[in-house]
Amino acid sequence: MEMKRLLPGKGFCFYLLYTVVLLVVLLWFRFPIDAVKVAAEAELKRMLPGQTCRIGGIGLSLPFDVRFNDIQISEPEGNLLVQIDTVQLRPNFMGWRQSGTWSALYQLRMPEGSVDGKVELNKERTALRYTGELQDINLVDSGTLKKMLQEYNRGISGVFSGYFTGSWNGQSGLFTDIEGRLKLDSGKVSLQEPILGLEELEFDQVTATVQASAGLFHVKEGKMDSHLLGAEFSG
């Protein structure tokens, strides 16, 4: 049998391309935005129990991206905790082919910086696994962090980066089982009481491995480098 008989002809390729384009166009114009928005907000509330979640809008981007805009996560009293400009999801077709389970890439953009990563079902399809990389999160711009530290009479600045992995089984909060290696560069932290005449401590870099599991939070392999001193910590 000649090889050319095994290959699709130009007509087949044309109709295949036409079918794909038609499906994309139909999806684009008939995408159920309202239904997806309601379902996404409900799922977000399930991931973050006890918080109020709102999604401003949903849109599509070529080729197959779904974009969530203006996401706000607040306390029940109305105090804003997190403001997210956009979350963009893209099907990870290569991941599907390799693992045989659902997988997607995401890009999260906030006023403070960005987070890029991947979400996927585990092989048993009983839990959602996720990874992420924090990129240049500027703590000076973080209104959420400022509110949290005000309760402890503390202030902190610097550029935050690192990576994390976690899983969610649908029963507890999204961040109850998570581990990451984090780094804070070129920052300073205010002290509750002056030490050696200093009201704030400047540092070159702080690194630590953090882990949350079953409602407990652990810090290990912590290290701080400063022109004044060096320290190691855990807890």
Side-chain angles (χ1 to χ4, degrees):
M1 182 179 295
E2 297 180 0
M3 180 60 69
K4 63 181 182 180
R5 294 182 179 178
L6 298 177
L7 299 176
K10 293 182 180 180
F12 174 82
C13 293
F14 172 78
Y15 284 115
L16 178 61
L17 178 61
Y18 173 80
T19 301
V20 172
V21 171
L22 181 61
L23 288 174
V24 171
V25 171
L26 289 175
L27 176 63
W28 188 276
F29 287 102
R30 299 185 63 84
F31 185 71
I33 293 178
D34 293 337
V36 172
K37 180 176 180 294
V38 171
E41 286 182 336
E43 193 67 20
L44 194 58
K45 292 176 183 177
R46 196 160 70 95
M47 292 179 176
L48 302 170
Q51 310 301 335
T52 300
C53 306
R54 186 186 72 84
I55 299 175
I58 299 177
L60 296 178
S61 299
L62 292 175
F64 304 104
D65 296 7
V66 180
R67 187 180 65 255
F68 301 87
N69 303 315
D70 189 21
I71 301 172
Q72 295 183 354
I73 301 172
S74 308
E75 295 177 326
E77 298 80 12
N79 299 321
L80 182 64
L81 293 175
V82 178
Q83 171 72 48
I84 300 174
D85 295 332
T86 61
V87 174
Q88 193 149 322
L89 289 175
R90 172 175 295 178
N92 183 17
F93 296 113
M94 185 62 69
W96 288 354
R97 183 176 181 180
Q98 293 175 348
S99 64
T101 61
W102 179 90
S103 176
L105 305 176
Y106 70 86
Q107 294 180 329
L108 186 151
R109 301 291 180 260
M110 301 179 294
E112 300 90 344
S114 61
V115 183
D116 291 356
K118 181 176 69 173
V119 293
E120 62 181 351
L121 287 175
N122 61 4
K123 293 183 179 180
E124 297 77 17
R125 301 189 179 187
T126 57
L128 187 70
R129 298 186 303 185
Y130 56 87
T131 63
E133 181 179 1
L134 303 164
Q135 301 178 2
D136 300 329
I137 306 293
N138 194 330
L139 297 187
V140 173
D141 299 328
S142 177
T144 301
L145 182 63
K146 289 179 181 178
K147 291 179 181 179
M148 293 173 59
L149 293 175
Q150 281 177 355
E151 300 180 4
Y152 301 96
N153 193 27
R154 289 287 180 92
I156 190 170
S157 64
V159 179
F160 199 40
S161 60
Y163 60 90
F164 59 87
T165 62
S167 63
W168 181 62
N169 60 10
Q171 304 299 320
S172 54
L174 180 62
F175 302 112
T176 55
D177 187 6
I178 185 172
E179 182 173 355
R181 183 67 180 174
L182 306 178
K183 179 176 67 172
L184 184 60
D185 290 312
S186 305
K188 57 185 178 181
V189 58
S190 62
L191 304 174
Q192 290 183 328
E193 297 292 338
I195 299 177
L196 300 177
L198 299 175
E199 295 185 351
E200 61 182 20
L201 177 63
E202 297 184 3
F203 54 85
D204 300 318
Q205 187 179 89
V206 175
T207 59
T209 297
V210 297
Q211 183 180 33
S213 180
L216 299 177
F217 186 79
H218 303 279
V219 178
K220 56 184 180 181
E221 300 175 355
K223 184 179 181 181
M224 182 181 71
D225 293 321
S226 168
H227 66 280
L228 293 175
L229 55 87
E232 296 181 354
F233 58 91
S234 63

